Amino acid sequence: MDFGGVIENIITRDEFTVEKAREILKDETIAVIGYGVQGPGQSLNLKDNGFNVIVGQRPGKTYEKAVADGWVPGETLFGIEEAAQRGTIVMCLLSDAAVMSVWPTIKPYLTPGKALYFSHGFAITWNDRTGVVPPKDIDVIMVAPKGSGTSLRRLFVEGRGLNSSYAVYQDATGRALDRTLALGIGIGSGYLFETTFQREATSDLTGERGSLMGAIQGLLLAQYEVLRENGHTPSEAFNETVEELTQSLMPLFAEKGMDWMYANCSTTAQRGALDWMGPFHDAIKPVVQKLYESVKSGNEAQISIDSNSKPDYRVGLEKELKALRESEMWRTAVTVRQLRPENDNK
């Protein structure tokens, strides 16, 4: 498919149907290891699409959530070791930190001909740091939904799909690509685009630290602070910085594009946006380049590994998240959300 003159390999549900995916995986047992961020959405979508799925999870709150979602202990819900043993495809949907700690537990069950599946390239791309080195006689594959597991499930239930990237790192059976695409369709992908483990991991970490979360929080906070420092009220600063962006403009440019937005705003907004997009680009691009180099070198992966390995990591993390949650901008957000018209009838 042509993307502005660049040809990409795209797989759609029209050409690779759910029926075809079921036929390819009809003799497979899909073991979903981990029931945290991606586990519920991917496993439930696969089950609803008619695949043979089991879940592996240690006892605790997450295990109880799996039970509440309909997974039956001893039938479709097992401990991690037993699920890994039973599965012919082992879907490792644990956090990056958990993958490293659980890897010695599941590796003995990755016997010849099985497939090891990830939804993130982190553990494999930096396996000199993570220690996740798969046996040579198994398939190592990936489907990475471009969004949260919650979104994957919600869009599936609505009859839509969340786009995903896919990659084959190791093809020991000659069936790795078919297995990958079948799983990608099975979990409810809207369409699938080809990547590599290294490209996915690098782009994902860059995106999270950049426009998806890190950079956008920095940008929003900077504008909010400038408005507040110049006498604007919290409500005004928040509405002009966040509320209009998320509630009015984002849905529009998600549907029609920023080019459409520029062509269909007021002449004052149009002139200002055209004049100021250049200075913002020029100021931000060096930061993004520095970020990308830090990701590509493995520095960001090492920072993540080191911080997650600290015994007091959760305590420090909660302190940082508490500061973000209790900042004036996001305390203002709570009030603004309560004032939205859709809450009038609640």
Side-chain angles (χ1 to χ4, degrees):
M1 191 168 289
D2 190 332
F3 288 85
V6 178
I7 304 299
E8 289 192 42
N9 190 23
I10 301 295
I11 306 297
T12 70
R13 290 185 291 189
D14 291 334
E15 59 187 298
F16 202 111
T17 64
V18 173
E19 291 74 22
K20 179 178 179 180
R22 279 197 292 261
E23 178 62 25
I24 289 171
L25 301 180
K26 65 182 180 181
D27 297 323
E28 304 268 20
T29 297
I30 303 167
V32 175
I33 307 299
Y35 206 74
V37 177
Q38 283 289 336
Q42 293 201 33
S43 60
L44 290 169
N45 290 0
L46 283 164
K47 184 173 74 169
D48 288 351
N49 265 334
F51 296 87
N52 181 24
V53 189
I54 60 174
V55 171
Q57 178 62 46
R58 297 200 189 285
K61 288 183 179 179
T62 307
Y63 186 96
E64 296 307 317
K65 181 184 186 313
V67 173
D69 285 346
W71 302 99
V72 181
E75 294 182 16
T76 56
L77 178 60
F78 304 92
I80 289 175
E81 295 87 345
E82 185 170 356
Q85 184 177 31
R86 287 172 175 263
T88 58
I89 296 174
V90 177
M91 296 178 69
C92 191
L93 298 181
L94 300 156
S95 69
D96 295 326
V99 171
M100 290 185 286
S101 64
V102 173
W103 178 244
T105 300
I106 65 174
K107 186 177 180 180
Y109 301 107
L110 298 174
T111 50
K114 287 193 176 188
L116 175 62
Y117 166 109
F118 293 95
S119 280
H120 188 18
F122 186 103
I124 294 294
T125 298
W126 293 293
N127 60 13
D128 58 329
R129 303 163 188 262
T130 65
V132 180
V133 180
K136 294 295 185 183
D137 50 11
I138 65 168
D139 294 340
V140 182
I141 61 180
M142 176 178 66
V143 177
K146 298 298 109 181
S148 69
T150 302
S151 298
L152 182 73
R153 181 61 178 168
R154 175 176 55 81
L155 291 171
F156 176 86
V157 171
E158 293 174 0
R160 299 190 288 158
L162 190 66
N163 300 332
S164 303
S165 61
Y166 73 91
V168 173
Y169 177 79
Q170 186 169 283
D171 183 4
T173 66
R175 299 187 296 115
L177 180 59
D178 279 349
R179 281 168 142 178
T180 305
L181 297 179
L183 289 165
I185 296 300
I187 67 170
S189 300
Y191 72 77
L192 295 155
F193 61 94
E194 190 173 12
T195 188
T196 66
F197 273 65
Q198 190 273 337
R199 289 204 333 250
E200 190 282 333
T202 307
S203 60
D204 188 79
L205 265 66
T206 301
E208 291 166 348
R209 286 151 179 74
S211 66
L212 301 181
M213 294 178 70
I216 197 166
Q217 166 63 16
L219 171 62
L220 296 176
L221 182 60
Q223 180 170 306
Y224 180 88
E225 288 176 342
V226 168
L227 290 172
R228 290 287 289 122
E229 289 160 5
N230 283 276
H232 299 270
T233 65
S235 179
E236 184 171 54
F238 187 84
N239 273 276
E240 295 294 354
T241 300
V242 181
E243 190 74 354
E244 185 174 354
L245 171 67
T246 59
Q247 300 305 300
S248 176
L249 302 187
M250 275 188 169
L252 281 173
F253 71 73
E255 179 184 358
K256 299 176 181 293
M258 187 60 82
D259 55 332
W260 182 93
M261 183 68 69
Y262 272 49
N264 288 275
C265 62
S266 72
T267 54
T268 302
Q270 190 177 69
R271 183 69 267 145
L274 288 167
D275 288 347
W276 278 92
M277 68 178 184
F280 273 108
H281 168 272
D282 294 347
I284 292 167
K285 188 169 181 181
V287 179
V288 177
Q289 187 62 50
K290 183 178 179 180
L291 163 60
Y292 186 81
E293 293 302 325
S294 184
V295 172
K296 189 175 181 180
S297 70
N299 182 56
E300 293 298 313
Q302 193 62 54
I303 291 171
S304 179
I305 291 168
D306 291 345
S307 63
N308 287 333
S309 300
K310 293 178 181 177
D312 61 346
Y313 169 67
R314 286 288 170 188
V315 176
L317 174 65
E318 180 50 38
K319 185 177 180 181
E320 290 180 280
L321 294 177
K322 184 174 184 285
L324 182 63
R325 184 169 61 248
E326 294 183 354
S327 66
E328 184 188 275
M329 185 170 76
W330 292 115
R331 282 189 288 113
T332 300
V334 174
T335 303
V336 171
R337 285 196 295 268
Q338 291 171 347
L339 294 171
R340 287 176 186 164
E342 65 263 25
N343 292 321
D344 289 348
N345 299 320
K346 293 182 181 179

